[in-house]
Amino acid sequence: MNFIKMNSKIAYIYVRIHESYEKYGACKLGKTKNIPDRENTYVTGEILRGEFVLAFEVPYTEMDVIEKELQKKFYELNIRINGGKEFYS
């Protein structure tokens, strides 16, 4: 995905996949103000990089509300073991 155009009024809700999530049939649902910056935080934790498979532009001021609504919508798909809470099947 190419995210050259960054705008302070825009944020992103994303879905990320990684081989370590596959064992659990999971993907990660997250939010960020800047996709390239968010990618950089994953680099140090992934020996083989995962990827963003979806990224939706949302108004920055609505980012938290939209993420919470998606978490409610996909509650039945939430996978919680003993790590993060942002993983879904």
Side-chain angles (χ1 to χ4, degrees):
M1 292 185 173
N2 185 357
F3 295 96
I4 301 299
K5 176 185 75 170
M6 289 292 148
N7 180 329
S8 63
K9 295 180 182 181
I10 299 295
Y12 298 88
I13 301 291
Y14 65 84
V15 174
R16 187 174 179 86
I17 60 171
H18 185 268
E19 67 176 6
S20 66
Y21 310 158
E22 290 175 12
K23 176 179 179 181
Y24 304 100
C27 63
K28 182 174 185 202
L29 175 67
K31 65 183 177 189
T32 185
K33 294 182 267 184
N34 186 304
I35 291 285
D37 283 352
R38 187 67 182 116
E39 173 76 18
N40 288 338
T41 63
Y42 283 109
V43 169
T44 60
E46 298 174 343
I47 194 164
L48 177 66
R49 284 190 187 187
E51 64 181 303
F52 295 102
V53 292
L54 291 172
F56 300 97
E57 284 187 357
V58 298
Y60 173 75
T61 57
E62 299 297 316
M63 174 176 63
D64 294 333
V65 172
I66 293 169
E67 182 190 40
K68 286 193 186 320
E69 288 299 316
L70 288 170
Q71 289 169 345
K72 287 182 201 174
K73 175 77 173 171
F74 297 119
Y75 178 80
E76 296 293 324
L77 300 174
N78 188 232
I79 299 172
R80 290 185 105 167
I81 300 173
N82 65 1
K85 62 181 183 175
E86 59 277 347
F87 296 96
Y88 295 84
S89 58

